[in-house]
Amino acid sequence: MNAENQKEEEIKRLQRSVELDPSQASVHVKLGQSLGDLGRNEEALQAMNQALALEPDNDWALQLKGCVLYDLGRMEEAIDVSDNALALDPGSILALCLKNCALNDLGREEEAIKALRRAVEICPGLSGIDLQEKLYKDLQGMNRYEEALEVLDAVLALAPDNAEALVAKEEILAKFSRRKHIQQSETGGEVKQDLFGTMDFDTYQESLRHTPVPSLLAGITNGEKKISFFCAPCG
């Protein structure tokens, strides 16, 4: 039996449990999550609403409802539900990541960055490296290169052989290098500010040629739309 068939069997079992005893919010939540994993989002939303009717302060049900709303493209509602979940659990990585993605999809970049920075603060270190990777990518996409470099340095301090981060840093330093050459040609002299720290761009670029390239780490991206993607715990 493949994974999808197993999930279908699980859904049938949970539906029978709900029919026998509809008063258990936790069963509605499990049913909603299983339905969402198969992309049956309207049914998943109904299950989460039933769970919340029984337990309005069930923060896990709220977080998963937000994920379902996001999958349905209902971004404003997803943000509202995430805020409700954060009111109950201010340290919810899931709610903060969901809010970040929904805000980004609405073009509200500053608010999105704020939510993601908060998630990084709550989940630092290797356990939160995917969050830091998404943060530097978002900042790079906004042309906020100095801030992106700060985050990249933090990522590379944790994982020096992170190939994706090394390439991203090379790209940003290349932009600075071009800017430096333009400034030199315009002024005919040295640029006083050292944009490369203790290593100049040419030396850094050479170091990349001798760096092992591991498998790229998977980060949180705006393109991902599955509930299960958001549910990795921060240990």
Side-chain angles (χ1 to χ4, degrees):
M1 184 181 293
N2 62 34
E4 185 172 343
N5 288 338
Q6 288 179 336
K7 187 67 68 174
E8 290 285 3
E9 288 300 315
E10 180 183 356
I11 288 170
K12 290 176 183 177
R13 178 179 58 79
L14 290 167
Q15 287 172 331
R16 287 194 296 269
S17 296
V18 167
E19 290 172 2
L20 291 171
D21 183 3
S23 67
Q24 299 298 313
S26 61
V27 180
H28 289 286
V29 172
K30 290 176 182 177
L31 175 58
Q33 188 167 3
S34 295
L35 289 164
D37 285 342
L38 291 183
R40 294 163 60 177
N41 293 314
E42 292 291 352
E43 295 171 86
L45 182 59
Q46 183 179 2
M48 294 305 173
N49 284 335
Q50 288 171 334
L52 290 165
L54 293 166
E55 295 181 5
D57 291 338
N58 187 320
D59 61 311
W60 184 235
L62 277 170
Q63 292 172 54
L64 293 180
K65 178 180 177 178
C67 290
V68 174
L69 290 166
Y70 180 82
D71 288 351
L72 289 168
R74 294 159 63 173
M75 301 304 170
E76 293 285 2
E77 293 174 80
I79 292 167
D80 289 341
V81 171
S82 296
D83 284 337
N84 291 338
L86 288 166
L88 294 171
D89 180 9
S92 170
I93 300 297
L94 170 60
L96 287 166
C97 290
L98 173 63
K99 186 175 181 179
N100 164 262
C101 291
L103 286 166
N104 264 331
D105 283 0
L106 292 174
R108 294 159 61 180
E109 293 178 336
E110 289 297 334
E111 295 171 85
I113 289 292
K114 183 178 179 181
L116 189 52
R117 283 194 186 279
R118 178 57 183 152
V120 170
E121 289 172 5
I122 293 169
C123 194
L126 278 170
S127 59
I129 196 166
D130 285 352
L131 300 172
Q132 295 184 59
E133 288 178 339
K134 181 168 193 311
L135 179 56
Y136 81 67
K137 290 173 185 176
D138 284 2
L139 289 167
Q140 188 176 7
M142 297 166 68
N143 297 327
R144 291 163 62 168
Y145 298 121
E146 288 84 357
E147 293 172 79
L149 277 175
E150 290 178 7
V151 180
L152 277 165
D153 285 339
V155 169
L156 290 169
L158 295 168
D161 293 339
N162 185 319
E164 192 172 6
L166 286 167
V167 171
K169 185 168 183 177
E170 180 184 14
E171 290 174 353
I172 293 174
L173 290 172
K175 292 179 186 294
F176 281 150
S177 181
R178 286 194 294 272
R179 184 187 302 173
K180 179 179 179 180
H181 291 150
I182 291 170
Q183 288 175 328
Q184 286 176 327
S185 65
E186 289 177 346
T187 61
E190 293 284 332
V191 177
K192 293 182 179 180
Q193 185 179 8
D194 179 13
L195 294 170
F196 307 102
T198 58
M199 184 185 295
D200 64 30
F201 175 70
D202 292 335
T203 304
Y204 180 81
Q205 191 174 39
E206 179 63 25
S207 74
L208 290 179
R209 298 192 180 99
H210 303 287
T211 302
V213 180
S215 298
L216 300 184
L217 297 176
I220 298 174
T221 65
N222 291 338
E224 294 288 348
K225 299 277 186 178
K226 289 187 179 296
I227 291 176
S228 57
F229 183 81
F230 290 98
C231 298
C234 176

